[in-house]
Amino acid sequence: MTLTVVINGGDCGTVTLAKQVWVGVPKFNSLIPIGNQNGYSPEEPSVSIGMNGEGCNQIRMKVLFDADALLEYQWEKFTTDVAWSVNTSSGNILISPQCNTNFSFRVRVRNSCGWSAWQQFEFPLTRCTIACDIPADPSPIVGANFLVSPNPVTSGLVTIGVKADAPWFLIPETNDPLNTSHNTGGNQLLERIRVNMSIFNSLGILVQQYTNLLVHPTPAQINISNLPSGSYIIIFEYFGQTESYTIIKS
């Protein structure tokens, strides 16, 4: 709120003084860079290369809350394999990655009125010359019922196919010579297969969802190019049955 005082000096004129005063618990304002970093966009700044051809840039930021007389910050990091430095008396944060990965954390702050709401952040760290835990061979993931490829995902496109012996979808062989379905031990796949599919990020947040996705006879292709680099869990659901796969987007 704004407090305004008007001082009437008579013949000497009038002076108006205004002061912004915060009432209540703190409220999140922004996350800003410190120094010459232009935000925490992966493109800023350029990656520093070490003697061995590898390197990472540290990221310095500050979390701002609207309130006066902040007493204490509370931090919680979800990405446990990335080093950071924070302070309970300030909003400064220093992130020191060793490789490219998704990074997530949350923070809240307290004043004399109480704690603010938690503010959560998630963004890709791509200021290193190497990525974290990405397999060298983009091979398909083979599960009980599905084929998911490639892994890691480099183009943003993921192909979902059904295994020839997928137990979810096998029905007794019809012995129809005109039936071109895959035959496995006297059984055959359903001619058309649709499933529900959900994609979750490393925090368990739903990021994409598909209903009645056709995956057979033609494999489905989905686009995840809009998702940040990192690890994702794909969950298939078919008449109450679920099956999960983990993919890496590089």
Side-chain angles (χ1 to χ4, degrees):
M1 62 181 296
T2 302
L3 296 179
T4 303
V5 177
V6 179
I7 302 174
N8 191 343
D11 294 339
C12 295
T14 300
V15 176
T16 300
L17 302 175
K19 180 176 177 58
Q20 190 74 24
V21 178
W22 184 265
V23 178
V25 299
K27 181 180 179 181
F28 172 73
N29 181 303
S30 59
L31 178 66
I32 63 171
I34 295 177
N36 60 1
Q37 295 181 111
N38 191 8
Y40 53 85
S41 166
E43 292 78 24
E44 299 280 351
S46 300
V47 175
S48 301
I49 306 299
M51 294 294 293
N52 61 352
E54 299 178 358
C56 287
N57 282 3
Q58 292 182 322
I59 300 173
R60 295 176 175 85
M61 295 180 291
K62 185 177 183 65
V63 182
L64 300 180
F65 284 83
D66 290 330
D68 295 325
L70 299 178
L71 300 175
E72 179 184 4
Y73 287 79
Q74 187 173 0
W75 305 83
E76 184 175 351
K77 182 176 63 170
F78 298 110
T79 308
T80 56
D81 56 350
V82 175
W84 75 343
S85 175
V86 295
N87 195 302
T88 58
S89 61
S90 77
N92 293 347
I93 172 174
L94 172 64
I95 305 171
S96 303
Q98 299 297 314
C99 52
N100 293 328
T101 187
N102 272 8
F103 185 75
S104 58
F105 71 96
R106 67 177 184 172
V107 60
R108 65 175 181 170
V109 69
R110 180 174 64 88
N111 65 2
S112 58
C113 294
W115 286 99
S116 70
W118 283 103
Q119 184 66 33
Q120 185 165 319
F121 303 91
E122 180 184 10
F123 49 88
L125 301 178
T126 55
R127 290 178 175 171
C128 297
T129 56
I130 56 174
C132 298
D133 301 326
I134 294 185
D137 180 23
S139 342
I141 305 174
V142 181
N145 293 280
F146 300 95
L147 300 169
V148 181
S149 63
N151 190 47
V153 182
T154 55
S155 67
L157 298 177
V158 181
T159 300
I160 310 295
V162 175
K163 290 181 63 180
D165 58 349
W168 281 4
F169 312 114
L170 287 177
I171 58 174
E173 175 65 55
T174 63
N175 295 319
D176 183 352
L178 300 179
N179 193 312
T180 58
S181 298
H182 297 289
N183 298 330
T184 305
N187 294 323
Q188 66 182 26
L189 287 177
L190 294 168
E191 290 186 3
R192 295 175 67 83
I193 298 173
R194 295 181 181 272
V195 296
N196 298 328
M197 190 183 82
S198 303
I199 302 178
F200 297 84
N201 64 17
S202 57
L203 296 178
I205 299 173
L206 179 66
V207 293
Q208 283 190 15
Q209 191 169 37
Y210 300 84
T211 303
N212 292 328
L213 179 69
L214 182 65
V215 292
H216 181 79
T218 302
Q221 194 169 69
I222 61 172
N223 192 334
I224 63 170
S225 59
N226 63 317
L227 299 179
S229 300
S231 176
Y232 293 88
I233 297 175
I234 297 178
I235 297 182
F236 297 98
E237 187 271 328
Y238 183 76
F239 286 97
Q241 304 172 95
T242 60
E243 188 169 305
S244 64
Y245 295 73
T246 300
I247 61 172
I248 301 293
K249 181 178 182 294
S250 60

